[in-house]
Structures are given as C-alpha cells and as structure tokens.
Amino acid sequence: MEAILVLSTASVSGSLNPNRLSVLSHQSQPSQNRALARKSLSRQKMPHVAQEVLLVMKSEGLIPSNSTLSAVMLCHAKNGLLPQAEAIWDEMLNSSFVPGIQVVSELFDVYGNVGSFGKVNEIVGQIRSRNLSLLPQVYPLAISCFGKGGQLELMEDTLKEMVSRGFPVDSATGNVFIRYYSIFGSLTEMETAYDRLKRSRFLIEEEGIRAMSLAYLKKRKFYSLAEFLKSVGLGRRNLGNLLWNLLLLSYAANFKMKTLQREFLRMVEAGFHPDLTTFNIRALAFSRMSLLWDLHLTLEHMKHVKVVPDLVTCGCIVDAYLDRRLGRNLYFALNKMNLDDSPVVLTDPFVFEVLGKGDFHASSEAFLEFRKQKEWTYQKLISPLICFLLLCRLFFSDDMSWWWAGAVGAAKKKLVEDEGPRTPQSVGLVIGVTGIVGNSLAEILPLSDTPGGPWKVYGVARRPRPNWNADHPVEYIQCDVSDADDAKGKLSSLTDVTHIFYVTWTNRSTEAENCEANAAMLRNVLSSVIPNAPNLKHICLQTGAKHYIGSFESWGKIQPHDSPFTEDLPRLDVPNFYYTQEDLLFEEVEKREELTWSVHRPDTIFGFSPYSMMNIVGSLCVYAAICKHEGVLLRFPGTKAAWNCLSTASDADLIAEQHIWAAVDPYARNEAFNINNGDVFKWKQFWKVLAENFGIEEFGFEEEGEVVGLQKLMEGKSGVWEEIVKENQLVPTKLEEVGVWWFVDAVLSGESMFGCMNKSKEHGFVGFRNSRNSLVTWIDKMKAYKIVP
C-alpha cells in the first residue's frame, strides 16, 4: 500500500515513538494529506527525525508516497544535507513517481542558494530524459535560478536548449533576462535582452522596468534612461506613475528644470495624477536649486490634490531655507504641512539613487534610529535637527562645500535661467568658449551657487556658435583673436569684465611659430581688455604639462623633468609657447596695480568639445564607433608602455572649477597650479570601459607586430564616418573635425608623466574626480549631443 506521512509537532521532540506516527492510506483524503506532509516536514528543522520516520515506514512494508518522499527530500536539502536529498531524488526518479513542479522549484532554490548550478543543470537533464511533459515548466525555473545567481552564460545556454526543443519563450522568461542582465550584465547586454523582448512582442513588466532603470541610474546615464522610458510607452496605465516619475527623475538629475516642468505638465495633460513621489522629485530639484517659490507652489499643489507630504518633502523645505540662510522664515513654509503627523518616508527609493537624501532627511533617519523609544512628530523633530544642521554649516564653508560637491558628483549646482534677474557680482570673459575647458566654464560659471557669483559671462570663439554650446547662458562673441583689429573691435567695448579666463591656443608647424602665434593672440586680448575694463581683477591662463616635458617637437631630443612635477621646477632650455605666454602675462599684469594672475597646468584632459584640438575622449569615441561599425578589434593604438603604465587625467569641469577658485580666492593669487583628478589609472583598464560603452566585445593590445597609431589606422575612413553619421542621424561632421589622431598618438606613445597636486591642496583647492566616472560622463555627453552613436 502506498502511504502518506503526517508528522505531528509532538513527534519532532525527543526520540521517535512509532505509536505517535500516523500513517494514512493514499486513498483517504489524498490531497489534504499530501499538503500536510509537505508543510509539516518543511517547517521542522529536524531532518534526522524525518529520515527515521521514513525508515520505520519502509520497515513496516509501507510504500512512501510521492509527497512523503518529496517532503523528506526537501527537509534534507533545506537543512544542508544535500547527499541525503540527492539519494531520495534518485529514488523518486527510479520509481514511477513524477516530481511536482513545486518540488523542483524549491530544489532549484536550495541549489542556487549554495551555488551548485551544475546540480541544477543535472536535474534539468534528468527530467529531460525521463519526463518530457514537465520540461516546459522546468526550463523557465532553471533560467530564473541561473539568473538569480548571476550565471548569465548558463541562462543563455538553457534558453537556447529550450528553444531548440520547440518550447516557446513566454513573457515572464523574457523579463527574467532583462532583470538579471540589468543586475549582473553590462548595459549593452541588458539593452540586447530588451530588444529581444520587444521583437517577441512582449511587454516589459514593472520589475524589468525598475531593474533597467536602476542600471541606467547607477551608471548616471540619464539620457539613455529617458529614451528607454519613452520606448516603453509613457501611456501604460497599468504601471501607475512609475514611467512618468522615472522620466521626471532623469531630468531632475541633470537639473533640466524647464524640461522637468514641461514633462510634468504633459503628464497631467495625459490624464495621470501626480503622486507623492512625483511631487518629491520636483521638490528635491527645487530645494537643491533654492527655488523657494516653486517649493511653495509644490506644497500648495499637493494640498489641493490631497497628497500628504512625507519626511522627504519636509526635508526639502528645511534644507532650502537653511541653504539660503532663511531659517527664521522656515515655519511660514512648514505651516502648509501637518506638523503633528509622525515622520514617515513613502517616496519611491529610486529617487534617492539619483538625487540622494537631503541633509535633513538623512539626519532625521539617523536621529529616529538612535531615539526609537520616543513618539516623534515633525514638530518635535525639526527643532533639534535644525540646531544640528546650523552647527554643521558653521564648520563647513560654502566654498568648501562647492568644491566637494563637484568632486563627489553631488547635484548641488543651481541654474540661473529659471530664477529672476540678478545683478552680477562678477563678469567673466572666456576666451576659447567652445574649447574643451571653455565649454565647461560656460556651463559652470552661470550657476547660481558658483563662488564669486552671480556671474555674467561673455564667451569668445572664432567660429559661429555650435548647437552643443547654445544652452549655456553666455553672451557669445564670434571673434578671431589672432586678428588684432577684430579683437580690438569686439573686445574693447567689454568694459564691465572683472575676470579673464584664457583657455585657447593655436597650433603651427614649428614651436617657434607656436610661440609667435600664441603670444600674438594673448597680447591682442589683453591689450583690448585691460585698458578698457577698470574693474578687471584677475586673469587665468591655462597652459599644460608640456611646461615640464617640452613641446611636441622637442620630445625625444631633450631630457624632461622627472615625474611627478612640482610647480617650482625650472623651465627647460628649449622654445615653448607656454613660457612665452607666461612672460607676456606677467609683463601686462605688472602694468596694472591690484591686477592678479594664475596659471593652470592640466595633464591629459577628459572633456567635451568637438572643436578641441586636444580632445582624447572625443577622438577615442569616434575610433570606437568606427571599429563597432566595421566589426573589427578595438585595437589599442599606443605602445605597451602606455598600455601598462599608471596615467592621470584632468577632468574639464575640475579644471574649470580650479580656474574659478583661483579667480576668487586671495590665497591663489599670482601662483601657478598643476591640476589633475588626483587618482591614477591604466589604459589597459580604461580600454575595457571604452569597449563596453560602444558594445564592442573584442578589444585589447596586440603584442605582436609594430605599433600602429590612429593616424595610420584612420587613413581612408572618411567615407566610413559619413555612413555612421547618416545611419545614426548624428550631427553632420567630417572625420577630420572630430578625430585628432596625432594628439592621441602623442599621448599614447610612451609612459605617462604627471603633476603633483600638493600645492593646489595646500592653497585651499580640494577638488578631485574619479577618472573612470569622468571618462564615462564625457562619453555619455558625446552620445547625448549626437556626435557619436
């Protein structure tokens, strides 16, 4: 007779008494008894008791049922006794019993949790050979198990086997691939999984949307996130406000306030009702930008639609008012909330992945965790925390916070365009505004929390204003500063200039010609502005690390200084237009009392400007795009020494921040400063980052053969680039405009040499950057402005 075991609670304590064993006929109450058997044995942490019962049953001639064997097996497996579980599994397979899909699922979970993915594969094979009817359900379970453990190759192999046997791939399985590629794979693999799902005409589910969005957010690929959400379809009402909230978040993260407001109105017009997360995304952006009136309107709107604020909302108000030193007016705003409510956080956690937690929010959570026993309300929480936050602000100056915010990538900068007109305190003149650092200065100077501000900014460049520079609130002046008459005619009227940021240069065939041409350009600017700008205070001149190693034409002919370089090293005894520019600057400044200067010497610059003659990131992006298009190896075009050595980079935004610091900080007057990110990297590491960002699988350094630089590799590729531009609807450019091959070849020709940052830190500039994040940021910007695909 086949029997089902029911193990009572009493039987798991003490020794086993056969009289306490209840054996029930399979014919009586079969479904109820199976459920009891599985639940009873699964809940008890006593596998030895289950095994003893099983032996007693067999000794009395009773045949254990399928459910009994399954329950005992799972009891063993879940308590780590895998050999015993495997023995029972083999017994079941060799009998006439068919394991239930729920049993297989639980067994997969056990093996997956201990990393025994080979055993999961083995079980799939056993079921395949014995019970084909169960396979359509087993394959998706195995795929999910492999995905949960990050075994992406096993997941793909199982899918191929499943399809080869004619079993259809359902929506749930397609979404499993998206979810786990989002967690464990690259963005390219994740996007491939999503494209596969779309081709199958399945909808991506909420869990998949969240997983993909989180992957984009962690990489700070906000533009890609916005494009993904639009492709999903913002009108999907079964997801509530999720898609719209994530879209708003992508704009809030970049502080695209006008776009944020426009999309919010579109959301409402589309019939979606803003929820707490919607409002708090906007409130956090308004708070970081100290847009108090917009905060008030947000609170009024919430009250009107009966959305109750949470701790995040309260924190936005407190932080904004304290940042503007308006603590005395704080309760005027907080009166729009019910301060007798208990503090809770009901905002979707996705928001904090991007915008972080404000000072008040983070401090409140720590405070509430520490003082759990008290019944807190907003009213009771606000007073002690405001005192704490005010003390913190006394110990950390605004300037220190600003440099630190830029260094860690915090979203603390505030755009001026959405505020009312302000009287400028400083007027900057950026010479070379479309260059790699000039573009960053044009973006950072107008921000309302930039030191020395509010800033009015003039931007000078030789060419017409490009579209990728048009968003910056600067007064653009098209002027060729190498032409003395053009410079005088257009710059002498700028009588309100207080600071000059000279970040341009020109290249000639010899260094002697470079000295002459670059000195003339600087002289034309200074002679046009200095006599006519009575309030001019400071001039920033950007040169570079060639100050220590010599000009390009002198490389290999002279002995450079040893790295790391310090600013007090003597000049090399060779022509160098950097020296010529410095001498000219010192001469002009001496003619004017109280006029000061600073010189900035970056290493290899990571930044964004299709017009820059020294844009290594842009050039490498173009090279990678061509390799991807042609399906060839992304070959490292430099030497083995460059591939393996420690290198440094200088983020363009960081350089701009040092310029601004030197322009307004008295401790930086009349000094030269090195500037780099403060960390080191190897190109062998960053080459993988470049490849991943363009979906290239084959990349690296070729050990055999001679080094082939980009000047050689890119010969005859103009037509290829035209195809890429056309196919991807990029901004129309010519290959020679966006690829500075000679410069990349020069940078990657040997071991890197770099400057020491101690002097800069000792004088008060503590900015830094993560070079890997810097590289990815500028690659993203090249893509966002449709320069590369």
Side-chain angles (χ1 to χ4, degrees):
M1 178 184 292
E2 181 184 294
I4 298 172
L5 169 67
V6 177
L7 196 61
S8 68
T9 304
S11 68
V12 300
S13 58
S15 59
L16 181 69
N17 183 345
N19 294 327
R20 296 154 81 182
L21 176 66
S22 174
V23 181
L24 302 171
S25 166
H26 181 64
Q27 284 77 12
S28 63
Q29 300 175 307
S31 61
Q32 177 184 358
N33 291 331
R34 288 193 185 97
L36 286 171
R38 184 175 292 116
K39 289 181 180 179
S40 178
L41 285 171
S42 296
R43 288 173 181 171
Q44 309 306 325
K45 305 289 185 180
M46 304 289 284
H48 62 283
V49 175
Q51 183 67 21
E52 190 175 348
V53 170
L54 192 60
L55 293 175
V56 170
M57 291 178 64
K58 292 181 177 180
S59 69
E60 295 184 1
L62 298 173
I63 301 173
S65 70
N66 192 359
S67 293
T68 298
L69 288 174
S70 298
V72 175
M73 177 187 66
L74 291 176
C75 184
H76 283 310
K78 291 178 179 179
N79 285 277
L81 302 176
L82 298 182
Q84 292 88 331
E86 291 167 14
I88 297 175
W89 171 257
D90 291 338
E91 180 181 341
M92 293 174 65
L93 290 178
N94 292 325
S95 70
S96 59
F97 292 141
V98 177
I101 193 64
Q102 181 62 33
V103 173
V104 175
S105 175
E106 293 184 45
L107 201 56
F108 280 179
D109 286 342
V110 171
Y111 284 120
N113 289 337
V114 298
S116 295
F117 299 106
K119 190 63 183 176
V120 175
N121 235 351
E122 182 182 330
I123 292 174
V124 174
Q126 291 170 334
I127 294 175
R128 183 175 59 242
S129 63
R130 289 171 172 81
N131 183 26
L132 288 174
S133 65
L134 206 59
L135 270 181
Q137 297 168 279
V138 170
Y139 277 126
L141 288 177
I143 288 172
S144 182
C145 177
F146 294 142
K148 194 180 299 182
Q151 304 298 307
L152 303 182
E153 288 188 17
L154 284 174
M155 192 168 67
E156 286 286 353
D157 291 343
T158 306
L159 178 70
K160 290 175 183 176
E161 183 181 314
M162 176 180 174
V163 173
S164 70
R165 291 183 168 273
F167 298 123
V169 179
D170 60 13
S171 174
T173 303
N175 276 274
V176 163
F177 273 80
I178 289 176
R179 186 159 66 250
Y180 293 121
Y181 269 120
S182 300
I183 298 171
F184 299 109
S186 67
L187 291 184
T188 301
E189 290 172 323
M190 175 188 77
E191 289 166 347
T192 300
Y194 176 53
D195 289 339
R196 186 162 58 190
L197 185 78
K198 288 195 295 183
R199 289 195 300 271
S200 301
R201 299 189 180 278
F202 290 129
L203 288 177
I204 185 171
E205 297 168 358
E206 178 174 344
E207 198 169 352
I209 293 170
R210 287 182 174 271
M212 284 193 68
S213 298
L214 183 59
Y216 282 126
L217 292 172
K218 284 183 175 179
K219 297 289 187 179
R220 302 191 68 80
K221 292 187 176 289
F222 304 123
Y223 175 82
S224 299
L225 172 59
E227 293 301 305
F228 160 66
L229 295 170
K230 292 174 183 177
S231 74
V232 171
L234 295 170
R236 284 183 58 179
R237 297 192 176 270
N238 63 313
L239 297 172
N241 287 344
L242 176 65
L243 296 174
W244 280 105
N245 286 344
L246 288 168
L247 181 66
L248 296 178
L249 189 58
S250 70
Y251 295 123
N254 278 333
F255 290 88
K256 302 290 186 182
M257 297 308 297
K258 289 183 177 179
T259 308
L260 175 66
Q261 297 286 59
R262 182 173 63 248
E263 294 301 319
F264 175 76
L265 293 176
R266 281 189 59 214
M267 172 185 178
V268 175
E269 289 169 357
F272 288 82
H273 301 289
D275 56 22
L276 179 61
T277 297
T278 311
F279 284 116
N280 277 343
I281 289 169
R282 301 172 73 235
L284 280 163
F286 296 148
S287 176
R288 300 288 169 82
M289 299 174 67
S290 296
L291 300 177
L292 302 185
W293 181 245
D294 293 277
L295 263 180
H296 281 289
L297 292 178
T298 299
L299 287 174
E300 290 288 355
H301 194 168
M302 293 174 73
K303 185 177 181 180
H304 177 72
V305 297
K306 295 182 172 57
V307 173
V308 179
D310 68 351
L311 184 62
V312 179
T313 322
C314 182
C316 292
I317 300 166
V318 173
D319 289 342
Y321 273 79
L322 292 186
D323 283 345
R324 293 289 290 268
R325 297 179 176 85
L326 294 172
R328 63 187 179 277
N329 297 331
L330 184 57
Y331 278 94
F332 167 74
L334 290 174
N335 280 337
K336 294 180 172 61
M337 294 179 56
N338 184 357
L339 299 182
D340 292 326
D341 285 344
S342 298
V344 291
V345 176
L346 301 175
T347 303
D348 195 314
F350 262 92
V351 176
F352 312 131
E353 290 284 345
V354 184
L355 299 177
K357 297 179 180 179
D359 292 342
F360 182 83
H361 176 190
S363 301
S364 295
E365 289 187 336
F367 198 71
L368 292 170
E369 179 68 21
F370 181 67
R371 302 289 297 274
K372 287 182 177 179
Q373 70 277 13
K374 187 172 181 179
E375 291 293 328
W376 290 98
T377 64
Y378 290 109
Q379 183 74 51
K380 294 176 182 177
L381 191 62
I382 287 171
S383 296
L385 280 179
I386 286 179
C387 294
F388 168 74
L389 293 173
L390 286 173
L391 285 172
C392 289
R393 281 162 170 76
L394 288 176
F395 285 100
F396 295 97
S397 69
D398 287 345
D399 285 355
M400 179 70 78
S401 300
W402 193 80
W403 311 124
W404 186 265
V408 299
K412 293 293 289 183
K413 295 172 181 175
K414 310 174 178 71
L415 295 174
V416 67
E417 62 180 308
D418 290 285
E419 297 180 348
R422 302 176 303 164
T423 302
Q425 178 180 327
S426 305
V427 180
L429 173 62
V430 180
I431 307 295
V433 74
T434 59
I436 198 164
V437 173
N439 195 54
S440 288
L441 281 165
E443 183 172 354
I444 295 172
L445 277 170
L447 303 175
S448 63
D449 62 346
T450 300
W455 285 84
K456 174 183 177 181
V457 184
Y458 297 109
V460 175
R462 177 172 52 88
R463 288 181 269 200
R465 189 170 194 175
N467 291 336
W468 45 264
N469 182 272
D471 290 339
H472 307 324
V474 304
E475 295 187 26
Y476 192 88
I477 301 171
Q478 186 179 348
C479 173
D480 183 358
V481 297
S482 65
D483 184 330
D485 292 335
D486 196 27
K488 185 176 181 180
K490 294 177 179 176
L491 303 184
S492 60
S493 61
L494 307 179
T495 58
D496 54 348
V497 171
T498 59
H499 299 79
I500 296 175
F501 301 91
Y502 193 91
V503 290
T504 190
W505 73 294
T506 189
N507 192 29
R508 297 290 187 265
S509 57
T510 68
E511 192 59 16
E513 293 174 356
N514 276 336
C515 291
E516 181 178 353
N518 284 283
M521 290 167 58
L522 179 59
R523 184 182 296 108
N524 291 341
V525 171
L526 298 183
S527 63
S528 299
V529 178
I530 291 177
N532 299 297
N535 297 318
L536 183 64
K537 300 175 183 178
H538 189 89
I539 301 171
C540 295
L541 170 66
Q542 181 172 305
T543 58
K546 292 196 297 295
H547 183 97
Y548 307 109
I549 61 177
S551 64
F552 289 118
E553 74 176 19
S554 66
W555 286 10
K557 301 176 183 177
I558 62 167
Q559 180 63 40
H561 289 297
D562 287 334
S563 177
F565 311 123
T566 57
E567 292 86 341
D568 57 358
L569 289 171
R571 291 179 176 179
L572 299 170
D573 190 19
V574 290
N576 190 324
F577 81 82
Y578 289 171
Y579 304 158
T580 306
Q581 285 184 315
E582 285 186 356
D583 291 340
L584 177 60
L585 174 66
F586 301 155
E587 178 184 340
E588 291 297 322
V589 167
E590 284 180 358
K591 298 176 183 178
R592 176 107 165 236
E593 196 174 36
E594 296 185 356
L595 180 58
T596 59
W597 58 269
S598 60
V599 174
H600 306 266
R601 299 169 183 165
D603 296 332
T604 303
I605 301 174
F606 284 4
F608 170 80
S609 172
Y611 285 176
S612 173
M613 290 187 291
M614 301 177 75
N615 184 357
I616 189 168
V617 175
S619 298
L620 291 178
C621 285
V622 173
Y623 171 48
I626 290 174
C627 290
K628 174 68 174 179
H629 182 77
E630 294 186 328
V632 299
L633 171 78
L634 181 65
R635 172 179 179 173
F636 183 74
T639 64
K640 187 173 183 179
W643 176 255
N644 288 314
C645 74
L646 294 175
S647 301
T648 60
S650 303
D651 184 275
D653 281 357
L654 181 67
I655 301 168
E657 290 170 6
Q658 193 195 54
H659 275 274
I660 297 166
W661 162 75
V664 301
D665 193 321
Y667 292 102
R669 292 173 182 168
N670 303 327
E671 296 284 352
F673 297 101
N674 295 329
I675 177 64
N676 59 52
N677 291 348
D679 62 1
V680 293
F681 66 91
K682 293 184 178 181
W683 278 109
K684 66 192 297 183
Q685 300 162 338
F686 277 19
W687 211 245
K688 180 181 179 182
V689 176
L690 178 66
E692 287 178 345
N693 274 270
F694 285 89
I696 299 174
E697 295 181 357
E698 295 185 0
F699 58 91
F701 176 78
E702 292 191 326
E703 296 281 350
E704 300 178 359
E706 62 180 13
V707 174
V708 182
L710 284 184
Q711 281 187 291
K712 181 70 175 176
L713 289 172
M714 293 294 101
E715 285 180 0
K717 299 296 184 181
S718 297
V720 177
W721 181 246
E722 290 177 3
E723 290 178 12
I724 294 172
V725 170
K726 184 176 180 180
E727 288 178 10
N728 295 276
Q729 299 181 333
L730 303 179
V731 174
T733 55
K734 296 184 181 300
L735 185 61
E736 59 268 24
E737 293 176 336
V738 291
V740 193
W741 313 127
W742 69 268
F743 175 67
V744 179
D745 290 345
V747 171
L748 303 181
S749 63
E751 288 197 7
S752 177
M753 307 177 79
F754 45 87
C756 173
M757 285 294 292
N758 284 346
K759 180 181 177 181
S760 185
K761 296 173 186 175
E762 289 164 356
H763 280 71
F765 182 76
V766 295
F768 65 92
R769 285 297 189 279
N770 179 314
S771 291
R772 185 189 185 283
N773 292 345
S774 172
L775 175 63
V776 173
T777 295
W778 297 116
I779 292 174
D780 284 349
K781 196 158 189 174
M782 290 289 291
K783 293 180 177 180
Y785 280 89
K786 305 290 283 185
I787 307 300
V788 296

